[in-house]
Amino acid sequence: MSSLANHESAHSRPIAQRIGFGGVEIELLASKPPVLPKGHLDCLERADAGGATPRVVCSLHMDASLLGERAGSRKISLSAAGDRLKTPGGRLRLVPTGGCRWAASARVAPSSTALGALLEGLSASVLERAGGFVVHAAAVELDQKAFLFIGPSGAGKSTAASQVFGGQSFSVDRVAVSLTGDGAEAWALPGGNRPQKESTRAVNRRLPVGGVLRVVQAPLLRVRRLSASEALLSLRESLFATINSPAAEQRRLDAALRLYARVPVVRLETALRVPLAQTLRELH
Amino acid sequence: MTVDDEDGMKPDDPIHRLRVRQSPRLAARLVEGKGVVIVLDRQELHTLNGVGMRVFELAEGRSVSEIARALTAEFEVSDEQALRDAGHFVRELLELGALEDVSV
């Protein structure tokens, strides 16, 4: 364990890539730069964030024996202690090194898909430990803010996002959220069944969260602020849970409550083809 | 003759002797007077009203009768009403997996 924990200061392998992904700065140590899938390349940001940004130094070993795992699966699992991450074609061990810093040792199949899945699991797990979370949402950029449409499958998230005229698609499926001093920031993540070309216009961007809207299909447009308990339930049903333990669940509830204290969380009742840009602008 | 109350519980219902505690596999928060409880293994979210959340909080190895006595003092309700409410909520929370029976 001590050798792993010392990676940050005493690693001997060259840094192959330093990337920002889902609100987490990841330094990959490998013998040669690994190739990332295009969907993930679209979601990279410059890795020059401030000191409060969660950071992982990850030694990466290509392991061809992991190639045979089922392609297309997105299943991510962690050990009971939450320190061992298993993704399709990837294995990772995570060790805290103090503050918002971690060291990781990973084995991954030599394929961009496997590496992408490993990065997704790694960033989501680290972000959650650092007080943030990944939320299932269609998001739109409007007036330099990200607005997150949440709800169960079929609620109309993507449809609502497409009705924000003058806005740009920020993410079609998932968004990483971290909490700042008095607000929250969003990063687009890859994924979704219907990737939209225009979503790439949000590449390399972090945006303040302008609001979270729980979408409900209804005949008329109506917006209502959710109570704290309603918001907690709506947010929690949309959060990805990487660590399944009571302590991690308490952290997720606390993070959802902190988000509620920082940005408007509303119930949006809306019908098809109702323009929503003005509604978003009036949230504050 | 013994008359059932509206929850189908008799005054000597065995549930009143049940001892219960919170399941270790859950997370809960009290928010603006309401409880939000997540049962991890079922991945279910539930909201509890003030009385339900208090019953949940009091379930630290206490019997339903003991919980009812605490409710009587805190909510200014009759002994019968408190016993009925405590039994009702404990039964529901057991079904949700939020409480577990530690009688034995």
Side-chain angles (χ1 to χ4, degrees):
Chain A
M1 181 175 288
S2 59
S3 62
L4 182 63
N6 287 335
H7 267 295
E8 192 160 12
S9 59
H11 61 78
S12 55
R13 274 185 296 281
I15 297 169
Q17 286 189 348
R18 183 180 286 120
I19 60 177
F21 182 84
V24 176
E25 193 171 310
I26 303 172
E27 205 168 86
L28 293 175
L29 312 179
S31 54
K32 61 179 181 179
V35 178
L36 286 163
K38 184 179 182 309
H40 292 70
L41 288 170
D42 288 345
C43 292
L44 300 187
E45 56 167 338
R46 274 188 309 153
D48 59 354
T53 301
R55 182 172 170 228
V56 186
V57 178
C58 179
S59 66
L60 203 59
H61 307 270
M62 296 301 168
D63 186 342
S65 70
L66 297 171
L67 266 176
E69 296 193 348
R70 188 163 60 95
S73 166
R74 298 179 70 88
K75 186 170 172 59
I76 294 172
S77 64
L78 280 117
S79 61
D83 61 343
R84 290 176 192 274
L85 176 69
K86 182 179 176 185
T87 58
R91 305 284 184 274
L92 185 140
R93 183 169 158 234
L94 198 61
V95 176
T97 57
C100 267
R101 301 284 183 268
W102 284 265
S105 174
R107 289 187 300 125
V108 64
S111 82
S112 59
T113 307
L115 181 60
L118 190 76
L119 283 183
E120 285 182 40
L122 173 60
S123 69
S125 176
V126 166
L127 185 65
E128 191 173 307
R129 290 158 196 267
F133 48 79
V134 175
V135 61
H136 179 49
V140 168
E141 176 185 354
L142 181 71
D143 301 340
Q144 286 83 53
K145 290 179 182 170
F147 292 87
L148 281 51
F149 295 94
I150 64 171
S153 182
K157 302 183 292 294
S158 300
T159 304
S162 69
Q163 297 303 304
V164 184
F165 304 120
Q168 298 177 356
S169 174
F170 182 66
S171 181
V172 295
D173 184 64
R174 285 177 300 150
V175 178
V177 175
S178 66
L179 303 171
T180 57
D182 58 355
E185 290 184 325
W187 285 261
L189 291 175
N193 297 325
R194 295 185 295 125
Q196 298 168 354
K197 277 188 177 174
E198 58 266 38
S199 69
T200 58
R201 282 189 282 181
V203 168
N204 298 334
R205 298 200 65 183
R206 75 176 69 183
L207 289 175
V209 179
V212 181
L213 303 98
R214 168 66 166 88
V215 181
V216 178
Q217 294 182 32
L220 296 172
L221 176 66
R222 184 166 171 254
V223 177
R224 177 175 68 81
R225 295 254 175 172
L226 293 178
S227 69
S229 60
E230 289 172 330
L232 200 54
L233 288 174
S234 293
L235 287 167
R236 179 58 194 89
E237 73 177 1
S238 298
L239 297 191
F240 285 91
T242 64
I243 307 170
N244 185 26
S245 73
E249 196 63 68
Q250 296 282 12
R251 279 203 304 270
R252 281 190 283 275
L253 290 181
D254 290 342
L257 279 174
R258 287 199 298 274
L259 179 68
Y260 176 76
R262 286 165 166 79
V263 303
V265 182
V266 303
R267 173 185 167 96
L268 171 70
E269 296 179 9
T270 185
L272 288 173
R273 289 190 283 281
V274 173
L276 293 173
Q278 192 56 34
T279 301
L280 300 188
R281 291 191 172 107
E282 291 171 355
L283 279 184
H284 281 280
Chain B
M1 188 174 75
T2 305
V3 180
D4 290 3
D5 66 21
E6 60 194 31
D7 287 324
M9 282 188 291
K10 298 170 182 172
D12 59 349
D13 193 310
I15 196 170
H16 297 152
R17 293 191 293 276
L18 215 61
R19 286 194 178 276
V20 288
R21 73 174 178 201
Q22 295 175 12
S23 163
R25 297 282 298 161
L26 59 76
R29 278 288 178 273
L30 182 63
V31 183
E32 295 176 352
K34 287 186 177 176
V36 175
V37 174
I38 298 178
V39 182
L40 267 66
D41 296 328
R42 300 185 190 182
Q43 281 299 300
E44 292 174 348
L45 292 82
H46 305 281
T47 51
L48 307 177
N49 65 18
V51 177
M53 190 60 181
R54 190 66 188 125
V55 169
F56 175 75
E57 289 172 339
L58 288 165
E60 296 171 327
R62 290 187 174 92
S63 70
V64 173
S65 298
E66 289 167 343
I67 292 171
R69 276 197 290 279
L71 292 182
T72 303
E74 291 181 29
F75 291 90
E76 296 182 355
V77 293
S78 67
D79 293 347
E80 294 77 15
Q81 182 68 46
L83 196 59
R84 193 158 50 228
D85 286 349
H88 169 75
F89 279 114
V90 164
R91 188 167 279 163
E92 286 209 347
L93 291 166
L94 283 167
E95 287 173 4
L96 296 177
L99 296 183
E100 56 187 25
D101 181 358
V102 291
S103 300
V104 287

